[in-house]
Amino acid sequence: MKSQITNTLSDFFFEYETPRQVLVRNRRVGVACRVIQAGVLAYIIGWVFIYEKGYQSTDIAVSSVFTKMKGVGYTSINGKERVWDEADFVFPPQLQGSHNCSSDSDCEEGRFKRQMTGVCEKATKTCEVLAWCPVENDHDIPDPAMLLSAENYTLFIKNSVTFPMFGISRSNLVEDVDAEYISKCLHDPKDSPLCPIFRLGDIVRLSGFNFETIARVGGAIGIVIDWTCNLDKDVKHCRPKYNFHGLYGNPAETDKARASVGYNFRYAKYYLENVQKRTLLKVFGIRFDIIVQSLARKFDIIPTLTAIGSGVGIFGVATVVCDLVLLHLLPKREFYKNMKFKSTDSHKQDPDSEACSTETEK
């Protein structure tokens, strides 16, 4: 046993294997080898270099977005006329409502994140709270929406991106978009794809929603600005593409199928009439989430050599598969094994080489 272990260790440390080239004239194995090599070559050229752009390095952008809303709306409710513009839209805090009760035990102080006093008002059967009076009643939602004219409002988007790895900065106000163009254009995916001014009705339509519905109950729309650039070409070809997606709810669903419908918020306007008072407004609006996606590519020798090296290594798959067939599956496998593998002993020399060395010494 000890001798066997010693021989194994000796063979491991003091033997060296070198490849031996054997030309095998077998049509099946030859065709299989060439088919596998052709498949590997197609993978390297088609997938790695053409589709995945394995010869380029990549970078994502640092981005900033600036928006400006413009538009004027008009309402006349109960004879009260009002003009609405972009200055009337704000981002407010949230507010809690009322809670029904039958006894003081239902109005435990501090429950439901409200400042309850612990008293149940018998007349209204509601918990007394420290809040503005009267307590909000938000069940009366205008239908149709008050500001359907907002469909013609416009949204201006200014976006800039920087690819720090390549030292490239771009803006969505590209070479063809100047002051004169902006003053006349309105975004259209086919006719004016680079125009940064969007009509609200068009945004809602392109996102898959209906404007009358979303104006009544509110909702959220994602505006995706896609910067996918090949910097091996002229930088002027690096331009944004705009996509629109409805985020809150599926337009095909009914309102009853969803637990929370649309998007709304509350805000208050304060004034004095002997005591401080306020007008509480619950606003159903459209929330725009602007998302910038970016990916820039440019030729780089390092990923190119890496892709080529990995491709050359994959070529070895053909040799491995063909060797398995030759040495284990074909009827003449023992013959091929003897042709492929040959053992030598450094302590024994061929008679011809001994004669040659003897002559040399003389």
Side-chain angles (χ1 to χ4, degrees), residues 143 213-214 216-218 250-262:
D143 190 8
T213 301
I214 203 172
R216 184 174 63 86
V217 299
N250 187 332
E253 294 180 355
T254 61
D255 292 347
K256 295 181 180 179
R258 290 172 282 176
S260 178
V261 180

Side-chain angles (χ1 to χ4, degrees), residues 132 270-279:
W132 290 87
Y270 296 86
Y271 58 95
L272 286 174
E273 287 184 358
N274 297 326
V275 295
Q276 188 180 34
K277 296 183 178 182
R278 73 175 184 177
T279 300

Side-chain angles (χ1 to χ4, degrees), residues 10 28 45 96 98 118 121 148 163 169 178-179 184 188-189 191 201 207 217 244 261 286 291 297 359:
S10 177
R28 294 180 180 179
I45 297 176
Q96 299 289 344
S98 61
E121 291 289 342
L148 285 176
F163 298 101
S169 296
D178 53 18
K184 300 178 181 178
D188 182 88
D191 299 330
S207 69
V217 299
F244 308 92
V261 180
I286 303 174
I291 305 165
R297 298 178 177 273
E359 292 176 358

Side-chain angles (χ1 to χ4, degrees), residues 26 31 56 63 69 104 144 260 285 310 314 317 323 325 352:
N26 186 297
V31 170
Q56 294 176 319
S63 175
M69 180 75 71
D104 291 347
S260 178
S310 61
I314 297 175
V317 173
D323 280 352
V325 173
D352 294 337

Side-chain angles (χ1 to χ4, degrees), residues 108 113 116 127 289 328 347 356:
E108 181 181 347
K113 299 181 181 179
M116 291 187 180
C127 295
D289 292 330
H328 300 283
H347 298 289
C356 182

Side-chain angles (χ1 to χ4, degrees), residues 3-4 19 47 67 95 100 134 180 189-190 231 305:
S3 176
Q4 184 177 1
W47 179 264
T67 61
L95 182 69
N100 296 329
E180 182 180 357
K190 294 182 179 179
L231 298 181
L305 294 178

